[in-house]
Amino acid sequence: MTLLIVIIVLALIFDYINGFHDAANAIATIVATKVLTPFQAVVWAAFFNFLAYWVFGFGVANTVAKTADTSQIDLSVILSGVIAAIIWNLITWWKGIPSSSSHTLIGGFAGAAIAFAFNKNGFSDYASKGENGEIIYKHWYNVVNWYSSGKEGELPSGVLIIIAFIVLAPLLGMIISYFISIWLMYSSKKNIYTKIFTVCLMLAVGYYFSTVLEYTIDPEKQKFSNKFLSFLAYPDNIKWFLVAIIFYSLAIFNLIFSSLSTARAEKVLKKMQLLSSASFSLGHGGNDSQKVMGIIAAAVTVYIHQQGVTVNLPNWLHIDIDKKVMPTWIPLACYSAIAAGTLSGGWKIVKTMGSKITKVTAFEGVVAESAGALTLFMTEHFKIPVSTTHTITGSIIGVGVTKRVSAVRWGVTVKLLWAWVLTIPVSAIIASLVYYILNIFI
């Protein structure tokens, strides 16, 4: 039990570090454009980090918890992964490198699991129970969930999918950002065709939203006796409402953009940045806090498997990630930790994100944050843990490319790419070393 509590405490410390390490992702553009002071920006971001508690479920947490086969590892594996993640996060924060806290955690967890499996089985296969209770034999390295086909209507999961999104998340952010930029740029001209296009797009998106909202809410999941209030407060619906707010705020601005003076348009865009940065902070809190929830859930699952104490567990440890059952203290603690970390800021990374990649104005800020938020909401919907760092960087690059390719400082970007590529393997190596060291003492 002591080791489990140590892991939970360290996981929350990692969540705190994640907050100040990734604070720059949400506040860099809003600080660079001087919409808010640095202090106001971190308070703003921290508030929406915490607000994510009422919006997001446990989909990403479930994916992270299943990074390794919890029936085949022990608590020292998870402890090693968390320690490695903290070490790499502090190194990259000290150097001002906006690396991925998410991939650090995944790499650490996977690396420690592989070290454990090799230490226990060598190159031999090991026996494991299948879904129906049958005994199946797996290669030692399959202690890590490299790839699992998704259920009907869901994307596949596993470490390989997470690695793929090292490229896909910033690419998706860049594409969305690029097209929003083009849409805004054409809307600034007095052209009736752009307005017709915007109205048609608003109608099409409105129809799409009407098809994805949940109108019939399970009575057990209703938060209010009133059906309409339960419909509004249903987490999946809240996410779609937020996406709608982002889209329609951009669309309405596009309809009036050409009638505004340059100074007036700049003022409106700066006010819109408050919305876009809040949306991105919400996505950051929902995406990254769930990863720590997943680690805590995995630790409890391993503890139960080791001790065989499913009946006598205290109520505060009753977790079933598949059934979305988790004590309230876990998400509250995780969202509080990341919000507190965000309040601490991360000014070296703010400088890199807010000025070194490309020059950021209110226009670029609104577009980049909106694209980043939409990407995070989308990937969370499909239960894919992605890097908020990668996402916002790709979005900033997408805006820069619309001006001209040379507007992006590619030298800085290439250095960031190297940090992204190295994060998972370096974290895995650090975690393996930490595991072997801990194995001497535990």
Side-chain angles (χ1 to χ4, degrees):
M1 178 65 78
T2 302
L3 190 55
L4 176 61
I5 293 173
V6 168
I7 290 171
I8 292 172
V9 171
L10 284 178
L12 292 175
I13 290 172
F14 170 82
D15 206 17
Y16 171 81
I17 294 170
N18 186 358
F20 73 71
H21 187 280
D22 287 2
N25 300 337
I27 70 171
T29 58
I30 206 168
V31 170
T33 55
K34 298 181 180 178
V35 174
L36 294 177
T37 65
F39 177 73
Q40 289 171 333
V42 292
V43 172
W44 183 257
F47 173 74
F48 286 98
N49 276 171
F50 185 76
L51 198 64
Y53 168 71
W54 285 276
V55 178
F56 297 97
F58 304 135
V60 172
N62 190 13
T63 301
V64 173
K66 294 178 178 178
T67 298
D69 185 347
T70 51
S71 67
Q72 297 297 323
I73 60 175
D74 61 23
L75 288 176
S76 63
V77 170
I78 300 176
L79 178 60
S80 302
V82 174
I83 291 173
I86 290 173
I87 291 171
W88 182 244
N89 251 10
L90 289 175
I91 290 172
T92 52
W93 166 74
W94 181 255
K95 296 293 183 180
I97 301 170
S99 67
S100 168
S101 298
S102 311
H103 293 155
T104 303
L105 197 60
I106 297 294
F109 193 5
I114 290 173
F116 172 85
F118 182 75
N119 188 53
K120 182 180 179 182
N121 304 311
F123 292 107
S124 303
D125 294 349
Y126 67 91
S128 178
K129 283 187 179 182
E131 292 183 1
N132 299 317
E134 74 278 13
I135 300 297
I136 56 177
Y137 289 89
K138 297 181 178 181
H139 297 305
W140 63 276
Y141 53 79
N142 283 329
V143 70
V144 172
N145 174 24
W146 297 106
Y147 179 86
S148 296
S149 55
K151 297 177 183 178
E152 187 176 351
E154 294 182 1
L155 292 178
S157 62
V159 173
L160 291 178
I161 300 299
I162 294 169
I163 291 173
F165 270 83
I166 291 177
V167 176
L168 293 177
L171 184 62
L172 189 59
M174 185 170 69
I175 291 171
I176 294 173
S177 176
Y178 179 81
F179 280 105
I180 293 176
S181 297
I182 296 297
W183 184 26
L184 279 168
M185 287 166 65
Y186 275 99
S187 297
S188 65
K189 301 174 183 177
K190 295 185 182 296
N191 188 325
I192 189 64
Y193 296 109
T194 307
K195 289 181 171 56
I196 292 172
F197 170 79
T198 299
V199 171
C200 290
L201 192 60
M202 290 171 73
L203 293 173
V205 170
Y207 171 76
Y208 175 74
F209 284 145
S210 70
T211 64
V212 295
L213 292 172
E214 293 285 344
Y215 296 98
T216 305
I217 310 299
D218 185 338
E220 293 183 0
K221 297 180 180 178
Q222 288 186 3
K223 295 184 178 180
F224 302 96
S225 56
N226 184 287
K227 290 185 177 181
F228 180 68
L229 290 178
S230 296
F231 163 74
L232 293 177
Y234 189 61
D236 284 346
N237 287 346
I238 291 175
K239 281 183 280 189
W240 287 116
F241 292 148
L242 290 170
V243 172
I245 289 170
I246 296 170
F247 170 77
Y248 282 107
S249 65
L250 289 169
I252 292 169
F253 177 75
N254 278 341
L255 290 176
I256 64 172
F257 197 2
S258 61
S259 63
L260 299 175
S261 65
T262 302
R264 180 62 180 163
E266 182 75 8
K267 287 182 180 179
V268 174
L269 283 167
K270 285 188 174 184
K271 289 179 180 177
M272 288 176 65
Q273 259 201 283
L274 293 172
L275 171 64
S276 60
S277 65
S279 301
F280 189 83
S281 295
L282 202 65
H284 171 222
N287 196 283
D288 284 24
S289 289
Q290 283 192 61
K291 292 154 192 169
V292 177
M293 290 182 220
I295 288 295
I296 293 174
V300 173
T301 304
V302 170
Y303 176 77
I304 292 171
H305 182 264
Q306 283 184 317
Q307 302 296 323
V309 287
T310 53
V311 178
N312 298 320
L313 271 181
N315 289 333
W316 63 275
L317 282 180
H318 279 173
I319 296 175
D320 189 331
I321 199 72
D322 288 318
K323 294 181 180 178
K324 299 181 180 180
V325 174
M326 189 178 290
T328 305
W329 73 266
I330 295 178
L332 270 178
C334 290
Y335 283 114
S336 298
I338 200 168
T342 298
L343 277 173
S344 303
W347 308 119
K348 290 185 179 181
I349 300 176
V350 169
K351 187 177 179 181
T352 300
M353 300 295 287
S355 61
K356 288 189 177 180
I357 295 174
T358 188
K359 185 180 178 182
V360 177
T361 65
F363 177 93
E364 283 84 11
V366 168
V367 174
E369 289 159 352
S370 297
L374 291 172
T375 304
L376 289 179
F377 288 170
M378 189 185 307
T379 52
E380 196 281 335
H381 178 72
F382 289 109
K383 304 176 184 178
I384 301 170
V386 299
S387 167
T388 53
T389 308
H390 298 185
T391 302
I392 193 64
T393 304
S395 300
I396 292 172
I397 291 171
V399 182
V401 169
T402 58
K403 293 183 284 188
R404 61 184 187 282
V405 175
S406 61
V408 177
R409 298 185 178 96
W410 295 105
V412 174
T413 306
V414 169
K415 290 180 182 178
L416 298 183
L417 288 172
W418 272 112
W420 298 353
V421 170
L422 291 173
T423 290
I424 287 181
V426 169
S427 300
I429 292 168
I430 294 173
S432 300
L433 294 174
V434 171
Y435 169 76
Y436 285 118
I437 293 170
L438 288 178
N439 202 39
I440 298 171
F441 302 101
I442 298 179

